[in-house]
Amino acid sequence: MEEGPYKYIRDGAGKVCRVIRIGTRKSQLARIQTDSVADKLKELYPDIHLEIVGMSTTGDKILDTALSKIGEKSLFTKELENALERNEVDLVVHSLKDLPTTLPPGFTIGAVLKRESPHDAVVLHPKNVGKTLDTLPENSVIGTSSLRRAAQLKKRFPHLEFKDIRGNLNTRLKKLDEKEDFAAIILAAAGLRRMGWENRISQILEPEDCMYAVGQGALAVEVRARDADILEMVSILHDPDTVLRCIAERAFLKHLEGGCSVPVAVHTEVKDSQLYLTGAVYSLDGSESLKDTMQTIQIIEEVDERVQRVGVTANKMSGEVQDRAERLGVDLANLLLSKGAKEILTVARQLNDAR
């Protein structure tokens, strides 16, 4: 039965329970990620009824164009947010790196879950097994649709060539294995692990070879900002370290005005109560880059806060600590901007638009 915007059902004992509907992309990885969040909620709240609603997004439909060329920031999220707005679903699970740093009004990230490995991974064509990017033959072609990965790796491995490859994980692996077009492809380690394909990872790229994308490896639960009960329910899923790292990363990207169409990369860690953020911007071919590291002192304390920071609401965490994380991202962006980051990114954007 439907009452107002919510859906209710009667359980076996005749008790009326609210149904929580979770929206997800239809890809296998999106379903696995959504199921993992649903399982956690079910464990924490055994009485709730969950219903998973799958839908296709623009990003899933346009498979023949490089992501950075489509230029739409909310490629994989728009349809899901529309469903959220129309009360067709109550929460949506995303890869945090797909979520723009400014969310549409009325939405917020109610939970950022403990981060999987944020690093990129090299997956080799079966014939190259045992090799690394260093030892692949001259002019080997590496598939990646990410400007960030290509810019860093061109600089680091000048003997390799880089070409676009699109499609979900299954499609990309199929393209790699069944054709001779690519010697290897670069994918996020987190996705491969979640799919149970860890055995395909030939090499993990450490930050000195390739820093990762903002929010990479973290899952985010997006909700309607006015839904206090749902916000309360999902807030228990927040992982404090991941929240602070991702607030700093998102603030850095937002202040640089970066998106899918410019090469921006980060690396963060929380060590001895300090939050460290390394951020970098690159020209498309990686020949020009700016990179720096800053840190802030963190003291974790429990406080109820109802403020959004770069789209994230973490009610149970100290507001001051979150502010410092956001400030860190902004300060580092300002430092790089003062050294000429704007020019590098503007040229990268123009060149990418002209491709």
Side-chain angles (χ1 to χ4, degrees):
M1 52 190 163
E2 307 262 348
E3 192 172 308
Y6 304 129
K7 183 176 173 185
Y8 296 88
I9 60 166
R10 213 175 275 284
D11 68 8
K15 199 166 102 205
V16 172
C17 313
R18 179 165 167 195
V19 179
I20 306 291
R21 296 154 303 171
I22 308 181
T24 175
R25 288 165 64 189
K26 281 184 178 158
S27 78
Q28 190 184 351
L29 177 60
R31 281 303 306 246
I32 287 172
Q33 294 182 164
T34 300
D35 289 345
S36 76
V37 172
D39 292 346
K40 283 195 176 71
L41 287 172
K42 203 80 194 116
E43 214 173 286
L44 293 161
Y45 306 103
D47 291 344
I48 61 170
H49 285 261
L50 297 174
E51 195 177 284
I52 291 173
V53 183
M55 48 193 97
S56 291
T57 67
T58 313
D60 296 313
K61 292 171 191 154
I62 309 178
L63 289 177
D64 50 355
T65 314
L67 287 180
S68 60
K69 294 293 292 170
I70 306 168
E72 167 65 71
K73 271 212 181 79
S74 49
L75 218 48
F76 293 111
T77 56
K78 203 161 191 53
E79 282 82 354
L80 298 169
E81 284 174 342
N82 290 345
L84 204 50
E85 191 163 25
R86 291 193 299 262
N87 284 317
E88 289 163 11
V89 297
D90 303 300
L91 47 119
V92 174
V93 178
H94 304 279
S95 291
L96 180 58
K97 73 171 182 172
D98 291 337
L99 275 174
T101 50
T102 305
L103 298 182
F107 300 106
T108 190
I109 297 164
V112 179
L113 284 79
K114 191 171 175 50
R115 198 172 207 167
E116 232 315 339
S117 160
H119 301 289
D120 288 318
V122 180
V123 179
L124 293 169
H125 188 285
K127 69 167 190 273
N128 293 317
V129 82
K131 292 196 167 69
T132 64
L133 290 184
D134 262 324
T135 59
L136 279 172
E138 188 84 21
N139 300 329
S140 294
V141 177
I142 311 298
T144 173
S145 53
S146 152
L147 299 179
R148 171 189 58 80
R149 289 173 183 148
Q152 292 180 82
L153 297 174
K154 278 175 186 168
K155 172 95 166 135
R156 176 73 184 76
F157 304 99
H159 67 292
L160 302 174
E161 281 191 32
F162 294 85
K163 288 214 166 80
D164 273 330
I165 183 167
R166 279 290 321 279
N168 59 35
L169 274 186
N170 311 49
T171 317
R172 289 187 206 195
L173 285 172
K174 216 172 145 115
K175 283 181 185 172
L176 171 70
D177 292 343
E178 293 178 6
K179 295 180 171 168
E180 296 288 321
D181 298 356
F182 300 103
I185 59 177
I186 313 292
L187 297 166
L192 288 161
R193 286 191 177 151
R194 290 187 184 120
M195 293 285 271
W197 293 339
E198 197 143 6
N199 61 331
R200 289 304 308 263
I201 298 177
S202 327
Q203 181 183 358
I204 292 283
L205 294 171
E206 293 303 327
E208 41 282 3
D209 288 333
C210 191
M211 296 205 305
Y212 39 87
V214 166
Q216 184 161 321
L219 295 182
V221 180
E222 188 179 17
V223 300
R224 290 179 288 268
R226 64 170 190 275
D227 255 353
D229 51 343
I230 298 265
L231 247 177
E232 182 62 29
M233 182 182 86
V234 301
S235 69
I236 197 167
L237 300 172
H238 268 310
D239 174 65
D241 277 6
T242 306
V243 169
L244 295 175
R245 289 171 64 188
C246 291
I247 284 179
E249 292 172 18
R250 284 170 65 81
F252 172 71
L253 181 65
K254 182 180 180 176
H255 202 69
L256 284 174
E257 294 176 21
C260 259
S261 52
V262 289
V264 174
V266 293
H267 170 59
T268 45
E269 56 185 331
V270 175
K271 212 168 58 188
D272 307 327
S273 297
Q274 305 244 39
L275 173 62
Y276 294 84
L277 168 67
T278 302
V281 302
Y282 303 89
S283 59
L284 285 192
D285 64 358
S287 62
E288 280 187 272
S289 64
L290 288 168
K291 177 174 163 184
D292 234 305
T293 303
M294 287 177 119
Q295 74 204 64
T296 181
I297 296 171
Q298 294 296 355
I299 298 97
I300 302 280
E301 46 202 289
E302 296 271 311
V303 190
D304 194 354
E305 273 278 324
R306 296 212 174 266
V307 181
Q308 277 199 50
R309 291 169 186 82
V310 276
V312 181
T313 302
N315 298 340
K316 304 278 190 296
M317 288 171 60
S318 148
E320 192 190 334
V321 172
Q322 293 182 66
D323 283 340
R324 281 190 216 146
E326 185 172 25
R327 193 71 244 161
L328 179 65
V330 172
D331 287 347
L332 185 63
N334 281 331
L335 179 63
L336 294 191
L337 288 168
S338 73
K339 295 181 176 182
K342 195 74 154 177
E343 292 66 33
I344 292 177
L345 292 178
T346 302
V347 173
R349 199 176 269 123
Q350 287 164 346
L351 284 174
N352 182 54
D353 289 347
R355 281 201 303 176

